[in-house]
Amino acid sequence: MFERPQGGERAVLVHLELPAEAESEQLPEFRDLVVSAGAIPVATITGSRHAPHSRYFVGSGKAEEIREAVNQSGAELVLFNHTLSPVQERNLERLLKCRVLDRTGLILDIFAQRARTHEGKLQVELAQLRHLSTRLVRGWTHLERQKGGIGLRGPGETQLETDRRLINDRIRLLKRRLEKVGRQRDQGRRARKRASMPTVSLVGYTNAGKSTLFNRLTEAGVLAADKLFATLDPTLRRVDLPGGFPMVLVDTVGFIRHLPHDLVAAFRSTLQETRDADLLLHIVETSSEQREANIEQVNQVLKAIDADNRPQLVVYNKLDLVERAEPRVERDESGRPQRVWISAKTGAGIEALLGAIAEIIHHDIRQYSLYLPPEAGRLHARLHQCGTVLKDECDAQGGWRMQVELRKSDWHALNKRDALQQYILTPKTHSRLAVGSEAP
């Protein structure tokens, strides 16, 4: 479809310091992205400008410097650590005689390599097509020719219009398929909600150690590598917390600065697991000099996907890389766990983390004494599904005397559905002890 230079893996990197993007960690992170994509950096061109050049993004002199670097190194690809317009990308390709890719295109390429599931592949293709559709406009002049020949005469349709129509048709098809997959995910979420199984989602900056922690807690064996975006497809596993309560742990894709909007839009169904989670474990790389900035970037992405209102527990990982650091749990003024320091690689602090998770999830659990008549058999079964049954005795009339522990949300749901309030024997309720605490 496109008359573009064929690209290889030897790449020249281009990074400009701009007033709006002057962050020292961007260039090292960009190199990590390039290596994660499988390219080999052979030269790096840096510079600074007050504003991007309209024709080449860089100035004409810097563009010539890039061309010399391409010719000397034999590179087949030039990668920009910025977002290029379609016209700038095309102008640079004409000048440099090789393929040019911006930061968004590079991230999309990494996602395309990492996608393994059917849903992940659909999401990546949708994001790529949305990105590509903007590259058709004023990008390839040869696409402006009208079709001709027998059977094709008439009002006419330019090749550019044909390609745009085909891309839009494919985008609509992918959206329909993703909606179907999304409905299947919704069924799974509703089933977990009916079973009152809380969901805990791992979020954090890419390469913070989420998959390593996920494997440590679940023994799932998902790919955990020292690469950006090693995890793309979400994985769900059951984990038993202290006290015998189960939860569902979700490993998700990592976030990064300037995460392409097309990716966020395409992965909305996957990120729904994060939006609906009962608790977010915000994994932070303790040894990173930019950890505070990374925390802020993750929170910005969470806000973009409407997940910023979910409860968070910040987990400082990779403690083994910090000298004289010990695992610990930090609490806020009310005594609620706020930060946990661990090493997923060595297992240090994992038990404290599980205890903190259990404490947060189950802090609102109450104990109830109930008497259910024989005709309330369905409610009896639901109580066994929703909570922890401490006592269950059947009397001569066929009724049940029960002592159960329920979360507030489960209590309200059962009371609304089955009028649970009428079966309470004693109005007094007792708060469940926090994990690791002692009775007064």
Side-chain angles (χ1 to χ4, degrees):
M1 182 185 296
F2 306 112
E3 295 175 2
R4 305 186 69 185
Q6 296 297 316
E9 295 184 344
R10 294 170 57 83
V12 172
L13 314 186
V14 181
H15 172 80
L16 292 187
E17 294 290 343
L18 300 171
E21 302 178 1
E23 299 175 358
S24 59
E25 78 281 5
Q26 277 197 341
L27 184 54
E29 180 181 88
F30 183 55
R31 288 198 182 99
D32 291 339
L33 278 173
V34 173
V35 173
S36 295
I40 303 172
V42 294
T44 302
I45 305 298
T46 60
S48 61
R49 286 184 63 89
H50 293 293
H53 192 274
S54 59
R55 182 173 178 82
Y56 295 125
F57 190 87
V58 297
S60 56
K62 187 65 67 174
E64 289 296 330
E65 183 181 345
I66 297 172
R67 184 166 68 170
E68 291 179 6
V70 169
N71 294 334
Q72 292 177 3
S73 62
E76 304 99 342
L77 179 65
V78 175
L79 298 171
F80 275 71
N81 190 20
H82 308 277
T83 299
L84 301 177
S85 70
V87 175
Q88 289 169 340
E89 194 172 299
R90 183 59 178 173
N91 290 338
L92 286 165
E93 287 188 343
R94 283 175 173 169
L95 175 68
L96 305 177
K97 306 300 182 184
C98 68
R99 186 165 186 198
V100 175
L101 208 61
D102 64 359
R103 182 184 176 90
T104 299
L106 178 63
I107 294 176
L108 287 172
D109 183 80
I110 295 174
F111 271 59
Q113 294 180 46
R114 302 284 193 270
R116 293 293 180 268
T117 64
H118 174 64
E119 181 185 17
K121 292 177 181 178
L122 290 178
Q123 290 169 328
V124 171
E125 184 180 355
L126 176 60
Q128 287 178 320
L129 288 177
R130 282 173 168 166
H131 181 67
L132 181 62
S133 63
T134 64
R135 264 54 191 164
L136 292 177
V137 181
R138 297 176 60 195
W140 289 264
T141 55
H142 75 283
L143 297 182
E144 297 174 358
R145 297 190 298 267
Q146 282 192 343
K147 293 179 179 178
I150 298 173
L152 296 175
R153 296 186 179 92
E157 184 181 47
T158 66
Q159 185 67 44
L160 180 62
E161 292 168 341
T162 301
D163 294 335
R164 185 184 291 115
R165 175 171 53 79
L166 292 174
I167 287 178
N168 289 334
D169 290 344
R170 181 65 179 173
I171 288 176
R172 284 191 290 269
L173 175 62
L174 291 174
K175 285 182 177 179
R176 288 196 298 268
R177 290 182 177 177
L178 284 171
E179 286 174 0
K180 182 178 179 179
V181 177
R183 287 193 294 269
Q184 295 171 348
R185 280 192 174 275
D186 289 339
Q187 291 176 355
R189 278 191 290 269
R190 286 195 295 268
R192 294 196 300 272
K193 194 170 184 179
R194 286 195 299 269
S196 294
M197 189 174 294
T199 301
V200 176
S201 181
L202 299 175
V203 299
Y205 209 75
T206 182
N207 205 30
K210 295 183 296 299
S211 295
T212 303
L213 177 59
F214 186 83
N215 288 335
R216 171 68 64 176
L217 295 175
T218 66
E219 299 181 358
V222 300
L223 174 64
D226 188 17
K227 294 180 179 179
L228 301 186
F229 299 118
T231 300
L232 178 58
D233 302 307
T235 307
L236 288 76
R237 290 292 187 275
R238 171 176 168 152
V239 176
D240 290 325
L241 293 170
F245 282 92
M247 72 171 184
V248 174
L249 188 65
V250 185
D251 189 18
T252 59
V253 63
F255 302 146
I256 198 170
R257 286 171 183 77
H258 307 124
L259 191 65
H261 294 295
D262 291 333
L263 274 180
V264 175
F267 278 73
R268 278 201 173 273
S269 61
T270 299
L271 295 173
Q272 184 73 33
E273 299 288 354
T274 299
R275 290 201 297 273
D276 292 345
D278 296 279
L279 176 66
L280 302 181
L281 292 188
H282 185 162
I283 314 302
V284 179
E285 184 179 354
T286 307
S287 57
S288 173
E289 296 179 357
Q290 306 298 329
R291 69 184 189 189
E292 296 302 324
N294 292 347
I295 290 174
E296 179 61 28
Q297 289 293 328
V298 171
N299 288 331
Q300 289 181 12
V301 177
L302 290 175
K303 185 175 181 180
I305 64 174
D306 301 324
D308 55 322
N309 61 341
R310 310 311 299 166
Q312 269 195 41
L313 176 63
V314 182
V315 180
Y316 286 92
N317 190 26
K318 302 188 180 182
L319 204 62
D320 52 295
L321 301 180
V322 181
E323 293 184 3
R324 295 186 297 276
E326 296 293 333
R328 63 186 185 276
V329 178
E330 295 182 2
R331 301 174 180 271
D332 58 17
E333 296 177 353
S334 63
R336 181 183 183 275
Q338 192 173 26
R339 289 178 291 272
V340 183
W341 300 73
I342 68 162
S343 171
K345 183 178 180 180
T346 65
I350 294 300
E351 292 301 323
L353 172 62
L354 288 173
I357 295 172
E359 190 173 340
I360 292 173
I361 289 179
H362 303 302
H363 78 283
D364 61 345
I365 287 182
R366 299 292 185 267
Q367 194 177 112
Y368 302 90
S369 296
L370 309 169
Y371 177 77
L372 303 185
E375 59 270 19
R378 289 182 180 273
L379 176 57
H380 180 262
R382 278 194 280 271
L383 286 169
H384 274 275
Q385 291 178 346
C386 292
T388 299
V389 179
L390 305 177
K391 181 180 178 182
D392 188 4
E393 298 177 347
C394 186
D395 62 11
Q397 289 75 34
W400 297 275
R401 290 183 180 273
M402 304 182 68
Q403 194 171 358
V404 299
E405 289 181 337
L406 292 170
R407 293 201 302 269
K408 283 183 180 179
S409 57
D410 296 329
W411 160 259
H412 290 305
L414 289 171
N415 192 43
K416 182 178 180 181
R417 179 173 180 173
D418 301 293
L420 187 60
Q421 183 75 32
Q422 63 180 316
Y423 302 117
I424 292 181
L425 283 176
T426 56
K428 184 179 179 180
T429 61
H430 303 279
S431 300
R432 184 170 183 262
L433 290 175
V435 175
S437 64
E438 298 180 355

